[in-house]
Amino acid sequence: MQRSPKTRAVGFTRILNFFTTLQTTGPKPTQSNLLKTSCVDQDNEVVPFNNRSLTETSNAYASLLRRCIERKSVSEIRRIQLHMTKSGFPHLSLGNKLIDAYLKCESIEDARKLFDEMPQRHIVTWNSMIASYIRHKRSQEALKLYQMMLPEGVLPDEFTFSSIFKVFSDLRLLPEGRKAHGLLVVSGLEVSNLFVGSALVDMYAKLGKLRDARLVVDRVMEKDVVLVTALIVGYTQHGKDGEALEVFRNLVKEGIKANEFTFASILIACGNLEELGKGKLIHGLIIKSGFESVVASQTSLLTMYSKCGLIDDSLKVFDRFVNANQVMWTAVIVGLVQNGREELALSIFRRMIRSSINPNSFTLSATLRACSSLAMFEQGKQIHGRVMKAGLDKDRFAGAALIDMYGKCGNIEMARSVFDALVEIDVVPVNSMIYSYAQSGYGHEALKLFNRMRDMGLEPNDATFVSVLAACSNAGLIEEGLNIFSSIRSNPTIDLSRDHYACVVDMLGRAGRLKEAEILINQVKKPDVVLWRTLLSACRIHGEVEMAKRVMNGALELEPGDEGTHVLLSNLYASTGNWTQVIKMKSTMREMRLKKNPAMTWVDVDRGVHTFMAGDWSHPRSGEIYEMLDSLIEKIKDLGYVPDTRFVLQDLDEKEKERSLYYHSEKLAITFALLSNSNKNTCIRIFKNLRVCGDCHTWIKFVSKVARREIIARDAKRFHHFRDGLCSCGDYW
DNA sequence: TTAGGGTTAG
């Protein structure tokens, strides 16, 4: 008959009470009178002992310990241990069992204390202790125990080896790992025990020693799925996706059945290589093998689809899965952000929170990236709150994303305060900070941080150089930028990319050193259209029509249908008053069906985003906006504002040109913000898809003075912070 | 009585 837990508990207590009563009421218990007077039978009921043997008593204790494990009760194990000691029972003879019980009840400290008291320990006990430390991610302590074994005359066995290699990879102790590998080869365990073999492969793989990992796999005669999967994982985690696929093919060829672990890893390789066909094949195999309800392989599956750009298929996998965990929710959000579906990513994030799934640093950094792409400052601040709540404000991934978000929203002070709070800094948050400075035109700050990197023990990488060059370019720090550029050229660890060249071309071009910029582009092996377009835009700034024609040819050779190139040249003709060429360009563009991106400005007012286009009357408060704008223009004209009609790219008379300038999208947006912002102390933030025009730049400077408001404008390239009639860019942009 | 491989990132 099955007894209820309650009766079982009573039985347990009765046994201990019996022992205890014996101690307190009877003569001082000795081992012999304990053995003579009591024992427990199979059912754990107390029965008279009647000369039972030591073995039988020990069986009784063992039986009690099993009950403790079932009930996961550490305190009861402690009571038993205490009882053994007090009653004079040689408790260390059951030490291995006691330790096993403590470990199964997750009390490593009790186990370790007893372990240290034991004069002799069984190899099983050593192994259990070590495995427990590893399970609890206490690699340092596991390593110390392992290192105690040999001096104490205990030889590690196959169980020891199958756990200990994880310690070497966790603590990145390759020489120690190799030493242990040597012991294995001598013992012959390397190729004969699959547990040992796969642990060894896993260590080499995690330490990036993939050749060693592969050699071990090759030496094992009878391979199994775990061994081969460890190698596949190693390849995918080190960007060797092609090799992972090849190992997978061999696995199939050798008739080894892949399981959910294998599928989870091989799908990553398919995703990284954008091998949709192979990915779909694996999807079929997952269904056939019945692993559709395993969360990790389904997570990899949805990531594979999103990396191949099939975001709808990715969402289908997610929607079908009922018990998505934190990682799966995160994976779908990350996929959406990577595919430019930021709004949906944010809405799924809100669903995740409603479902009481906590975000982690992966989730929050993806969500923050969504906010920065959409320039959602308010939302970004809220996510910052969540980062703090999750205790991740010192995390370098979340930190880098926060710095990016604040940087892209133009709040350089917040970006810096997040940066200063980071504890473990690596190159990425530093890059984010330098890039934030670059966008806001704080070139000197960017350089200061860049120069401090080596003192911080950090090596700048290619992204660092792109950021610092952009900072020099935006701040007009030409000589500093060129010095850095030549230092990259002599740095063998950095591959100069087109991004680096683009920064320098932009830097030289804006400074009017067009010839040098052109020479530089001609040094690039395969210049792309972006490089030519960068130079073309410099030609436009400096009115260099002849060079522009040459540059345009360079650009159109690469991409005949690039609308940006056509628009730039057409604007250049317009700014020099060459209307015949403008008309010609426009008809060419019509023939080629190229459309000009219309200029748009977004403004974040009282937690709502409002969009404006030039001369736009679609906003419900347009009447008030235009009225206020006209009076604002009259006011600043008195202070010296003169409309700069050079920025009108249409063939109109002077008066008409002025009128067309007045209603540019950024002017409408700012006027609307002035009209409606409830808190007059907050700064106005506007975002523009193209670059801000020169006339609007002057206009905003005046408005920041008369309205006594700080105005932050992010255009296609950078930020302008307007305050009291001045702009942070120093009119250089 | 003790043992091996997995999912999300800039």
Side-chain angles (χ1 to χ4, degrees):
Chain A
M1 197 181 79
Q2 187 74 39
R3 284 183 299 172
S4 72
K6 198 177 168 195
T7 21
R8 266 195 276 149
V10 170
F12 179 86
T13 314
R14 272 176 61 198
I15 302 163
L16 274 185
N17 282 347
F18 183 85
F19 282 142
T20 315
T21 316
L22 194 75
Q23 279 173 42
T24 47
T25 58
K28 191 177 160 44
T30 62
Q31 190 183 320
S32 59
N33 71 19
L34 171 75
L35 295 180
K36 274 181 199 143
T37 51
S38 72
C39 191
V40 275
D41 69 4
Q42 292 252 305
D43 249 356
N44 295 313
E45 294 299 339
V46 183
V47 293
F49 206 133
N50 295 338
N51 295 320
R52 297 287 172 102
S53 68
L54 179 66
T55 318
E56 282 169 313
T57 311
S58 141
N59 284 345
Y61 276 126
S63 160
L64 282 174
L65 286 172
R66 276 199 295 279
R67 292 269 290 276
C68 298
I69 295 169
E70 267 172 34
R71 299 218 296 256
K72 292 255 171 274
S73 169
V74 177
S75 58
E76 283 173 3
I77 308 171
R78 286 193 194 127
R79 281 170 71 193
I80 292 173
Q81 190 189 338
L82 192 70
H83 192 273
M84 287 175 178
T85 318
K86 281 191 175 164
S87 65
F89 182 82
H91 69 278
L92 290 180
S93 69
L94 276 179
N96 294 318
K97 280 206 166 58
L98 274 166
I99 287 179
D100 181 55
Y102 279 130
L103 292 179
K104 283 191 173 134
C105 298
E106 309 291 334
S107 177
I108 304 193
E109 306 320 321
D110 285 288
R112 181 58 195 262
K113 199 164 164 281
L114 191 54
F115 182 90
D116 288 336
E117 287 167 10
M118 289 168 74
Q120 272 195 326
R121 308 115 176 156
H122 197 277
I123 177 74
V124 170
T125 304
W126 284 93
N127 291 341
S128 305
M129 278 303 313
I130 290 175
S132 254
Y133 277 133
I134 296 172
R135 259 200 310 281
H136 290 86
K137 306 207 180 326
R138 292 164 64 166
S139 303
Q140 211 44 270
E141 284 147 297
L143 177 68
K144 277 196 189 126
L145 273 192
Y146 169 74
Q147 287 168 335
M148 272 166 64
M149 289 179 85
L150 273 180
E152 295 208 8
V154 185
L155 266 180
D157 67 0
E158 62 264 48
F159 285 86
T160 328
F161 285 122
S162 53
S163 330
I164 200 66
F165 286 112
K166 201 186 223 42
V167 169
F168 303 135
S169 52
D170 276 356
L171 301 174
R172 311 205 67 77
L173 299 172
L174 182 62
E176 284 289 328
R178 288 204 192 278
K179 227 161 77 188
H181 185 182
L183 282 175
L184 270 190
V185 176
V186 177
S187 66
L189 284 168
E190 182 205 27
V191 292
S192 63
N193 184 304
L194 279 167
F195 285 86
V196 174
S198 32
L200 184 59
V201 170
D202 180 61
M203 175 195 73
Y204 280 129
K206 296 256 158 71
L207 291 173
K209 299 287 164 197
L210 292 157
R211 266 168 49 114
D212 295 275
R214 178 140 208 166
L215 287 172
V216 176
V217 172
D218 288 344
R219 277 198 292 271
V220 175
M221 300 295 288
E222 298 214 0
K223 309 178 202 334
D224 76 348
V225 60
V226 180
L227 180 84
V228 182
T229 303
L231 184 61
I232 293 177
V233 171
Y235 279 131
T236 57
Q237 288 180 343
H238 290 88
K240 301 195 183 287
D241 301 294
E243 284 89 338
L245 283 176
E246 185 219 319
V247 176
F248 181 75
R249 263 195 300 276
N250 289 337
L251 170 127
V252 175
K253 226 182 345 193
E254 290 186 31
I256 300 171
K257 265 191 132 163
N259 63 17
E260 70 268 38
F261 288 74
T262 329
F263 290 135
S265 309
I266 200 64
L267 280 168
I268 298 169
C270 297
N272 288 340
L273 296 169
E274 297 182 27
E275 286 267 17
L276 180 62
K278 293 197 172 86
K280 281 188 167 170
L281 223 67
I282 308 280
H283 189 175
L285 283 175
I286 291 182
I287 297 173
K288 237 168 83 183
S289 326
F291 291 124
E292 260 191 305
S293 55
V294 180
V295 63
S297 39
Q298 292 298 303
T299 303
S300 293
L301 184 64
L302 78 80
T303 300
M304 185 276 293
Y305 280 124
S306 78
K307 285 200 173 153
C308 291
L310 297 187
I311 199 69
D312 292 330
D313 292 74
S314 173
L315 285 168
K316 258 187 230 158
V317 176
F318 178 72
D319 288 336
R320 257 203 317 265
F321 204 87
V322 270
N323 288 321
N325 62 8
Q326 183 194 49
V327 178
M328 196 181 212
W329 279 93
T330 303
V332 75
I333 291 168
V334 167
L336 287 165
V337 175
Q338 284 169 344
N339 280 275
R341 300 280 296 272
E342 288 90 356
E343 309 243 5
L344 187 54
L346 289 174
S347 110
I348 292 193
F349 174 73
R350 284 189 287 269
R351 248 174 71 199
M352 174 178 177
I353 301 294
R354 279 200 303 275
S355 315
S356 307
I357 309 271
N358 283 326
N360 60 21
S361 111
F362 288 62
T363 334
L364 293 168
S365 40
T367 315
L368 284 166
R369 253 179 295 134
C371 294
S372 7
S373 306
L374 300 170
M376 290 174 127
F377 181 62
E378 291 302 323
Q379 282 254 18
K381 274 201 297 195
Q382 280 176 27
I383 310 282
H384 189 176
R386 289 200 181 273
V387 170
M388 310 247 275
K389 205 173 137 200
L392 291 167
D393 43 330
K394 293 179 172 51
D395 177 273
R396 59 186 206 278
F397 282 97
L402 276 170
I403 295 166
D404 275 333
M405 185 275 292
Y406 282 120
K408 290 214 172 82
C409 291
N411 192 329
I412 207 75
E413 292 81 12
M414 275 310 291
R416 183 70 204 207
S417 86
V418 171
F419 180 78
D420 287 335
L422 293 179
V423 180
E424 254 186 88
I425 286 188
D426 70 4
V427 67
V428 179
V430 177
N431 291 353
S432 303
M433 196 61 231
I434 295 179
Y435 194 65
S436 297
Y437 282 135
Q439 288 174 99
S440 283
Y442 296 113
H444 290 288
E445 292 299 321
L447 278 173
K448 222 159 74 189
L449 184 52
F450 172 75
N451 290 327
R452 259 186 58 209
M453 281 182 80
R454 287 213 169 85
D455 296 335
M456 296 160 85
L458 297 173
E459 203 52 45
N461 61 15
D462 48 349
T464 320
F465 285 113
V466 173
S467 299
V468 75
L469 287 173
C472 292
S473 173
N474 279 347
L477 301 169
I478 316 293
E479 289 318 312
E480 291 85 343
L482 290 175
N483 280 337
I484 291 173
F485 185 61
S486 69
S487 80
I488 315 173
R489 284 181 144 175
S490 55
N491 184 339
T493 60
I494 303 288
D495 283 331
L496 266 178
S497 72
R498 284 189 285 228
D499 286 341
H500 298 115
Y501 280 99
C503 289
V504 183
V505 168
D506 183 55
M507 189 188 314
L508 290 168
R510 276 201 267 169
R513 293 161 70 167
L514 298 168
K515 271 260 165 285
E516 288 165 79
E518 193 182 12
I519 293 169
L520 196 64
I521 295 185
N522 286 320
Q523 287 172 7
V524 181
K525 268 190 200 138
K526 279 187 188 164
D528 65 351
V529 71
V530 176
L531 274 176
W532 289 116
R533 227 165 42 199
T534 307
L535 183 54
L536 193 57
S537 120
C539 293
R540 148 127 168 72
I541 296 171
H542 297 284
E544 278 284 343
V545 180
E546 282 317 305
M547 184 188 270
K549 285 185 196 158
R550 235 184 8 251
V551 172
M552 166 149 171
N553 288 336
L556 291 187
E557 252 173 52
L558 292 168
E559 270 183 49
D562 183 62
E563 64 214 35
T565 310
H566 286 88
V567 171
L568 270 171
L569 192 65
S570 158
N571 287 353
L572 173 55
Y573 284 133
S575 65
T576 54
N578 191 341
W579 302 112
T580 330
Q581 283 297 337
V582 173
I583 293 165
K584 226 169 127 186
M585 289 291 301
K586 284 199 171 151
S587 82
T588 315
M589 286 177 69
R590 242 194 319 275
E591 277 165 30
M592 294 177 77
R593 297 184 177 201
L594 298 179
K595 256 199 191 152
K596 187 180 164 180
N597 240 350
M600 284 171 144
T601 302
W602 294 265
V603 62
D604 200 347
V605 170
D606 296 335
R607 299 195 167 204
V609 176
H610 301 254
T611 314
F612 292 89
M613 287 164 81
D616 182 1
W617 276 84
S618 64
H619 196 277
R621 296 181 68 184
S622 290
E624 294 166 78
I625 296 171
Y626 280 83
E627 197 180 314
M628 183 172 181
L629 180 49
D630 285 336
S631 77
L632 206 51
I633 288 170
E634 288 314 310
K635 211 166 171 183
I636 62 174
K637 269 187 173 170
D638 293 342
L639 293 169
Y641 165 69
V642 181
D644 191 342
T645 51
R646 284 177 307 163
F647 293 97
V648 179
L649 303 173
Q650 288 156 295
D651 191 12
L652 304 169
D653 70 37
E654 271 310 296
K655 260 281 152 281
E656 286 170 326
K657 278 187 178 178
E658 274 190 27
R659 298 297 298 172
S660 99
L661 272 181
Y662 291 165
Y663 306 127
H664 274 182
S665 60
E666 46 270 62
K667 293 188 179 97
L668 294 172
I670 290 170
T671 310
F672 171 64
L674 287 170
L675 194 70
S676 55
N677 213 323
S678 49
N679 185 352
K680 301 287 180 207
N681 293 321
T682 58
C683 68
I684 296 170
R685 291 166 193 279
I686 63 161
F687 302 91
K688 212 188 152 185
N689 61 338
L690 306 176
R691 305 225 61 184
V692 61
C693 94
D695 178 69
C696 286
H697 194 264
T698 312
W699 183 91
I700 302 171
K701 284 200 290 184
F702 277 106
V703 170
S704 74
K705 195 176 172 83
V706 297
R708 295 204 190 128
R709 289 289 285 272
E710 191 181 344
I711 300 169
I712 297 180
R714 172 174 140 185
D715 69 13
K717 201 139 191 178
R718 58 166 295 161
F719 279 98
H720 300 262
H721 297 246
F722 298 90
R723 189 185 291 165
D724 203 25
L726 295 172
C727 177
S728 62
C729 76
D731 300 335
Y732 182 89
W733 85 96

